[in-house]
């Protein structure tokens, strides 16, 4: 299985710019395989056409040409032929709902798990690669009809990880939220990815990319920092 | 219908201390009606017994004696007799799941809507009073089996409202999250309550209590500040 999961898309450098070397390396293994298929369904407050154009412009310098899933006459057929599936961020609940109501969720999971398609996702697209969307930071603005997701990984991802907290705020911190998840799901690990980091899964194994340590949450254990490089989460 | 909905429980003054005058006024209208019934199901990382004790200690100075729903031999019977139902904060998804799986959600809604019981809720307990839990800030750590909630109000509440954002954070701001909700639910108003504020609904109508303006989000309109005092959201 080949997957690249980014915590975030935008940075001071520009849209997806920080991830360009990782994306280019990832794409080089797929050379000559036709355009990637972009899934824009996490977008809520802008049109999917605009979103797809922004992503197409951002991925081209990494050597990735894209088509947009919502513009395909036969989305299932397009997915069945795609060698690279790219799932953008936005709202995780909306993303999952749109894929489920179109009957495309299982199809994506099968293609990627079988190694027939590679997977790139950021933010909501990284949540979607997890067993469930239970560790998203997003607001549950629509009911996705169940929280089960692509289940490409044996652990959960929490993107945009930070434990910073606005002064005077009385809501839960991120660490408290993740501790709640772990209390109800003690067997399930959560890998929290700070802004700028990514996770790469390929024949070489699992690697943490980027400048920051990630944080591993598991059951009642104290969160553990993991340095960039090869990861073993056993 | 009588309801008191607090944005938050803890403050620098102590647990529920800032709300004591509102709680005492609220309780005075129910004098002689027996103990209130506390619903601890939003608690995740501490025991419901401990949670119930903390709330009992905090409500007694406001003249409110409590029993805990999870300690009742017949919860439905206890709810059917309670004149005041108190729903504490924690995780909204867990709260809704526990009420739904016990078949108690509709019973609470009926009692409060009919005016047979008054309702006090904070944080997750305020989300629960909304039509749906779609404007909670909580992490979706469990699937509640549907997002429909008590539907005591004709609008959504967003508790712990702030648009402050940790520097460098690339996730959505609160305003962006609420704009996403409004984009998908253009008919549904959201009243965002800053820390320290509360909403009181009784025979006098709807009032915003506390030191801060609340923010009203509706469709594509710019968020509108509402000053404390009598509210009309028409």
């Amino acid at each position: 299985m080949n997957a690249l999961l980014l915590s975030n898309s935008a940075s001071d450098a520009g849209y997806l710019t920080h991830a360009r070397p990782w994306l280019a390396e990832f794409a080089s293994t797929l050379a000559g395989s036709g355009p990637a298929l972009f899934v824009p369904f996490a977008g809520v407050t802008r049109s999917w056409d605009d979103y797809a154009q922004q992503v197409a412009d951002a991925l081209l310098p990494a050597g990735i040409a894209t088509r947009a899933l919502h513009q395909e006459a036969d989305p299932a057929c397009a997915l069945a032929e795609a060698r690279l599936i790219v799932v953008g961020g936005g709202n995780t609940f909306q993303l999952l709902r749109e894929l489920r109501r179109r009957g495309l969720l299982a199809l994506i999971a099968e293609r990627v798990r079988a190694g027939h398609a590679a997977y790139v996702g950021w933010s909501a697209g990284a949540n979607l690669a997890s067993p469930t969307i239970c560790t998203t930071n997003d607001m549950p603005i629509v009911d996705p009809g169940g929280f089960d997701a692509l289940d490409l990984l044996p652990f959960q991802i929490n993107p945009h990880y930070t434990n910073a907290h606005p002064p005077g705020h009385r809501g839960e911190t991120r660490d408290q939220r993740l501790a709640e998840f772990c209390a109800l799901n003690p067997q399930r690990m959560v890998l929290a990815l700070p802004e700028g980091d990514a996770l790469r899964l390929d024949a070489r194994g699992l690697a943490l990319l980027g400048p920051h340590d990630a944080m591993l949450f598991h059951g009642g254990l104290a969160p553990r920092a993991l340095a960039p490089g090869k990861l073993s989460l056993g």
Side-chain angles (χ1 to χ4, degrees), chain A:
Chain A
M1 194 160 70
N2 284 303
L4 178 67
L5 305 168
L6 312 173
S7 180
N8 56 304
S9 52
S11 73
D12 290 341
Y15 190 70
L16 288 171
T17 309
H18 74 286
R20 197 176 292 167
W22 306 329
L23 289 162
E25 191 218 14
F26 201 77
S28 69
T29 65
L30 306 166
S33 63
L37 199 57
F38 173 65
V39 179
F41 297 146
V44 177
T45 53
R46 57 180 164 174
S47 80
W48 291 338
D49 282 350
D50 289 350
Y51 192 8
Q53 189 59 53
Q54 180 185 27
V55 170
D57 293 346
L59 294 186
L60 210 50
I64 302 175
T66 55
R67 302 170 59 133
L69 182 60
H70 74 287
Q71 293 166 344
E72 295 289 330
D74 186 337
C77 181
L79 275 173
E81 290 175 355
R83 295 288 310 282
L84 175 58
I85 298 166
V86 177
V87 182
N91 184 281
T92 310
F93 295 88
Q94 149 111 339
L95 169 62
L96 183 55
R97 181 180 71 156
E98 295 299 319
L99 285 171
R100 183 169 277 137
R101 77 199 311 191
R102 287 169 170 80
L104 301 176
L105 191 69
L107 182 56
I108 295 176
E110 287 161 16
R111 293 278 300 162
V112 179
R113 278 199 217 121
H116 297 141
Y119 185 92
V120 169
W122 55 87
S123 193
N127 281 309
L128 191 75
S130 303
T132 71
I133 64 163
C134 290
T135 51
T136 179
N137 309 306
D138 293 338
M139 189 169 273
I141 56 174
V142 288
D143 189 337
F147 289 180
D148 287 348
L150 291 177
D151 195 16
L152 304 180
L153 305 167
F155 53 86
Q156 293 284 130
I157 288 181
N158 177 245
H160 304 289
Y161 173 73
T162 174
N163 200 36
H165 208 57
H169 185 51
R170 302 291 176 179
E172 291 84 359
T173 64
R174 185 75 63 87
D175 284 6
Q176 286 172 326
R177 297 177 194 281
L178 293 172
E180 286 185 349
F181 173 83
C182 291
L184 294 188
N185 305 274
Q187 307 305 324
R188 185 64 80 192
M189 285 186 288
V190 184
L191 190 65
L193 294 177
E195 307 288 9
D197 273 9
L199 205 60
R200 189 188 61 205
L201 179 64
D202 62 14
R204 293 168 286 183
L206 188 66
L208 176 65
L209 311 178
H212 305 295
D213 287 359
M215 293 297 281
L216 184 70
F217 295 77
H218 193 193
L221 303 173
R224 183 157 63 93
L226 300 176
K230 194 167 166 56
L231 289 185
S232 64
L233 297 184

